[in-house]
Amino acid sequence: MTHEIRTDSHTPYPDGGHGWRDTATRYALLPLRVFLGVTFIYAGLDKLTDSAFLSDSGSGSIGDVMSAARDSSAIPALIDMALKNPVGFGYAIALGELAVGIGTLLGLFSRLAALGGALISLSLWLTVSWSASPYYYGQDLPYLMAWIPLILAGAPVLSLDAVIRSRRGGGSRHRASTYR
């Protein structure tokens, strides 16, 4: 009798894959979705409920934060544009974070929400976090990288996107799998 070592990856079960590896693979992005969704909802609500943040100037205001980051940012022109109306920009960021967080948490338009989260994280990294040295101390860069898997994969399980997808084409898929 010959024994061999398997070097290939796990092969799925013929019945659709009900093993623990398949389940883990199916739900692998869920913790990331929950973390990013809750974090962005919290960040948006925190900004909207902080009267000091939504001010042109003063300690902790969006205006002061942007003014302080202007000279050390990668794109000072982006901050100059926002400084024309810092309160409006503060509301836009807060509402954007809230929309991204809700979309990500519910899995509604999940790829679009992830793209929005990545763009917010990118803009914050290029402006506020840019001066962090070494670069990996910047808190916005890891968020930017965390959005990429969700942009690519979306929210395939436990999401409103999955419910919508199953209602659109679920009937024909179910019939096809029943007759195999």
Side-chain angles (χ1 to χ4, degrees), residues 104-146:
T104 301
L105 198 58
L106 297 177
L108 181 62
F109 304 116
S110 55
R111 285 190 169 108
L112 182 62
L115 179 62
L119 291 174
I120 289 171
S121 297
L122 176 64
S123 67
L124 291 173
W125 178 56
L126 291 174
T127 55
V128 180
S129 301
W130 185 256
S131 63
S133 180
Y135 76 93
Y136 50 82
Y137 282 170
Q139 68 268 21
D140 296 304
L141 182 59
Y143 283 101
L144 172 60
M145 295 298 117

Side-chain angles (χ1 to χ4, degrees), residues 14-180:
D15 63 351
H18 298 290
W20 69 270
R21 289 181 184 175
D22 295 309
T23 301
T25 299
R26 194 174 307 114
Y27 292 96
L29 291 178
L30 192 58
L32 185 61
R33 260 184 55 210
V34 170
F35 171 75
L36 289 172
V38 168
T39 300
F40 268 59
I41 289 171
Y42 179 79
L45 289 175
D46 188 42
K47 287 174 180 68
L48 288 173
T49 57
D50 184 0
S51 59
F53 177 79
L54 293 171
S55 301
D56 287 336
S57 61
S59 180
S61 70
I62 182 70
D64 278 3
V65 169
M66 289 190 303
S67 294
R70 188 208 176 279
D71 292 335
S72 61
S73 74
I75 308 174
L78 188 61
I79 291 180
D80 289 339
M81 185 175 59
L83 281 172
K84 291 179 182 177
N85 185 359
V87 175
F89 182 74
Y91 274 109
I93 287 289
L95 293 173
E97 287 174 337
L98 199 55
V100 163
I102 291 169
T104 301
L105 198 58
L106 297 177
L108 181 62
F109 304 116
S110 55
R111 285 190 169 108
L112 182 62
L115 179 62
L119 291 174
I120 289 171
S121 297
L122 176 64
S123 67
L124 291 173
W125 178 56
L126 291 174
T127 55
V128 180
S129 301
W130 185 256
S131 63
S133 180
Y135 76 93
Y136 50 82
Y137 282 170
Q139 68 268 21
D140 296 304
L141 182 59
Y143 283 101
L144 172 60
M145 295 298 117
W147 285 113
I148 293 172
L150 296 177
I151 292 170
L152 296 173
V157 295
L158 296 178
S159 67
L160 292 176
D161 286 347
V163 170
I164 293 167
R165 193 171 38 254
S166 71
R167 287 189 179 171
R168 283 185 181 164
S172 61
R173 281 190 212 146
H174 178 69
R175 282 192 302 270
S177 65
T178 304
Y179 294 112
R180 286 186 200 173

